[in-house]
Amino acid sequence: KKADCTEKIVDHFSHHGIGNALITTYSKRAAGIFDRGCKPKLVDENVKNVNKFGKSEDGTLFQLLSHVKVPEHVVNGSDMKCSIYTLTQPRKEARIIIDKLKDEWRDASDEILVKAGGMPQERKGGDRSPVPARPLVGVHIRTGWADETNRRFKGWDALGTCADYLDVYFSGTAGNRRLGPAGRGVRDGKNNLSLELLIADTVAASDEAFGENNYVVYVASDAPAVKRYIKDFYASEGSKVHVILHEGIMGHNAGKLSDKLQRTKEENLEVGRNSIVDLIMLSEATLLVHLSSKFPAAASYRNQCGQRTVNLQGHPRHGLADVGSVLERAFDRDSGLEPIGKDWVPNLDEKALNKLAELLPKGRLHECFEDVTPSRSCMCFFKLSHV
């Protein structure tokens, strides 16, 4: 219902990312205001001036209202699904991106419909149907790469582009592209989970649920290589499924970046805006497949139409953090930096190499150990699996 009043709360709501904050702080702080018949205006500020949380002046502090509107209606505050949906109505900048992505979804759906002998539905006046004709499968993969580029930017950056290993770690074909190493490099050894197996199972489950090539896929991840891998995987399998992804600056939207990783205010705002875009697109999915994370959980709460979810237990970010710690110690110990024009070879002792082997598929049998500089080769395998 319409509200006659607005209540403003100024606080630091988002300590651990937008997904966590929507579930644990934004919706809960808004609940009482909704129940009093008012609209909540939740203003993010670093009220205790904690340096690591960033500041609003340069965009390093995430502010929800930079990307969504103050709610226009009052809902039941105890209903988290309604609250999160109402609190995440996008502002113009995010809405333009979302509308474009939904148009891509509609185009792909209409193409499927025409191939099946159907005819796309139009609304009165010639407008396109607000609901695409075919279901959307949402895939969200949190790898921990956004955390790594925040915490240990210097070490990963010192490796350079790792272009010297592209021919080693890219294989197979996907149209005119080759499958990257993300399928094997994004993994959780403890749970026997890899991106390659996860996507293969997702394809099989989606085909069974909706029919082969009868749906559209939206991919969200904190690692650019994961998005490309999933799109290329479908192509390599001969699938006609259309895969949508939003290209843009990615990062963790909570907390100040590494001092060495400088961004403009607009770039910082783009990171937050892209998070909102991914959240809303995932919330539109009929089926959402994801690894354990609050972000897809918040997206599922936002869905109002009965979303099926598959939550796969796995935390690739834990293994990646262990790799990053090994790299960071090598960088801090000797800075290991070679002269200009030379590639950095991390100086890893046998103990550190054994730690890497524990985190690699096939362990010491992984091809990076066949290289003349296994420390660099193995680290580049992990970097190319994510960037």
Side-chain angles (χ1 to χ4, degrees):
K1 64 180 182 179
K2 287 286 187 179
D4 297 323
C5 54
T6 300
E7 288 189 25
K8 178 180 176 181
I9 301 179
V10 179
D11 204 347
H12 182 205
F13 299 97
S14 183
H15 292 76
H16 301 287
I18 177 62
N20 184 291
L22 281 169
I23 294 171
T24 63
T25 55
Y26 289 121
S27 60
K28 291 186 177 180
R29 298 293 293 278
I33 299 174
F34 279 137
D35 289 343
R36 287 190 291 275
C38 295
K39 299 182 294 186
K41 184 176 182 179
L42 306 179
V43 180
D44 292 272
E45 287 293 344
N46 190 349
V47 291
K48 295 183 179 179
N49 201 28
V50 179
N51 183 57
K52 69 177 181 178
F53 293 145
K55 51 189 179 181
S56 57
E57 291 79 6
D58 61 6
T60 51
L61 174 72
F62 177 78
Q63 295 182 296
L64 183 65
L65 291 181
S66 293
H67 312 292
V68 303
K69 298 180 288 187
V70 174
E72 297 176 352
H73 299 87
V74 173
V75 298
N76 181 353
S78 62
D79 187 332
M80 188 177 293
K81 288 180 70 66
C82 282
S83 291
I84 289 179
Y85 179 79
T86 306
L87 290 169
T88 53
Q89 295 304 305
R91 293 169 64 97
K92 180 180 178 181
E93 296 84 352
R95 168 55 62 192
I96 289 172
I97 298 171
I98 292 165
D99 286 347
K100 183 177 179 181
L101 293 168
K102 284 188 175 181
D103 278 342
E104 188 175 350
W105 176 13
R106 290 188 186 94
D107 288 342
S109 295
D110 288 350
E111 185 176 339
I112 294 170
L113 193 61
V114 169
K115 286 181 178 179
M119 182 67 67
Q121 297 294 312
E122 291 187 355
R123 303 173 72 189
K124 291 181 179 179
D127 292 337
R128 304 181 71 182
S129 170
V131 181
R134 288 297 179 264
L136 185 71
V137 175
V139 180
H140 179 266
I141 307 295
R142 182 184 176 187
T143 68
W145 184 247
D147 303 273
E148 279 299 303
T149 53
N150 191 353
R151 298 170 184 160
R152 288 179 272 266
F153 171 77
K154 291 184 290 184
W156 291 108
D157 189 54
L159 290 170
T161 64
C162 291
D164 42 326
Y165 291 104
L166 291 176
D167 287 338
V168 178
Y169 297 131
F170 280 71
S171 61
T173 59
N176 295 321
R177 296 173 59 86
R178 294 181 299 164
L179 281 175
R184 296 179 299 141
V186 176
R187 62 192 299 272
D188 181 346
K190 292 182 180 179
N191 287 292
N192 195 29
L193 180 143
S194 70
L195 179 62
E196 182 178 40
L197 294 175
L198 185 154
I199 297 305
D201 288 346
T202 298
V203 172
S206 301
D207 286 351
E208 182 177 353
F210 307 117
E212 188 175 345
N213 299 325
N214 197 37
Y215 54 92
V216 181
V217 173
Y218 183 82
V219 180
S221 176
D222 61 348
V226 166
K227 292 185 174 185
R228 294 193 300 271
Y229 178 88
I230 293 174
K231 187 166 189 173
D232 292 344
F233 182 91
Y234 274 90
S236 70
E237 295 290 300
S239 172
K240 303 300 183 184
V241 169
H242 186 81
V243 179
I244 302 171
L245 47 89
H246 174 50
E247 300 280 8
I249 301 175
M250 285 176 282
H252 204 293
N253 66 284
K256 184 178 177 181
L257 295 167
S258 164
D259 289 332
K260 293 292 184 180
L261 183 57
Q262 298 297 325
R263 287 184 179 138
T264 65
K265 181 176 182 179
E266 181 49 44
E267 287 172 335
N268 287 326
L269 288 172
E270 184 180 342
V271 169
R273 184 163 56 246
N274 291 341
S275 296
I276 292 294
V277 168
D278 277 343
L279 181 93
I280 292 176
M281 288 301 296
L282 291 174
S283 78
E284 298 281 347
T286 303
L287 171 65
L288 177 57
V289 179
H290 63 91
L291 298 180
S292 303
S293 172
K294 286 289 197 302
F295 188 86
S300 188
Y301 272 120
R302 188 183 187 278
N303 180 278
Q304 300 296 301
C305 300
Q307 184 181 72
R308 284 180 277 178
T309 61
V310 179
N311 179 2
L312 299 172
Q313 297 302 311
H315 300 87
R317 64 185 184 273
H318 295 167
L320 182 63
D322 289 341
V323 173
S325 295
V326 173
L327 182 67
E328 183 178 46
R329 285 193 291 272
F331 186 89
D332 291 343
R333 183 170 52 249
D334 57 8
S335 290
L337 297 177
E338 304 295 338
I340 295 176
K342 299 276 188 175
D343 294 320
W344 176 43
V345 178
N347 183 14
L348 302 183
D349 58 21
E350 197 64 20
K351 181 179 179 181
L353 287 172
N354 285 335
K355 180 62 177 177
L356 278 185
E358 293 176 6
L359 301 165
L360 283 160
K362 299 183 180 180
R364 281 272 185 172
L365 296 178
H366 190 272
E367 55 262 49
C368 69
F369 278 100
E370 298 174 6
D371 193 80
V372 292
T373 56
S375 62
R376 175 173 172 78
S377 180
C378 293
M379 288 297 181
C380 279
F381 170 76
F382 283 108
K383 182 169 184 177
L384 291 172
S385 295
H386 294 84
V387 298

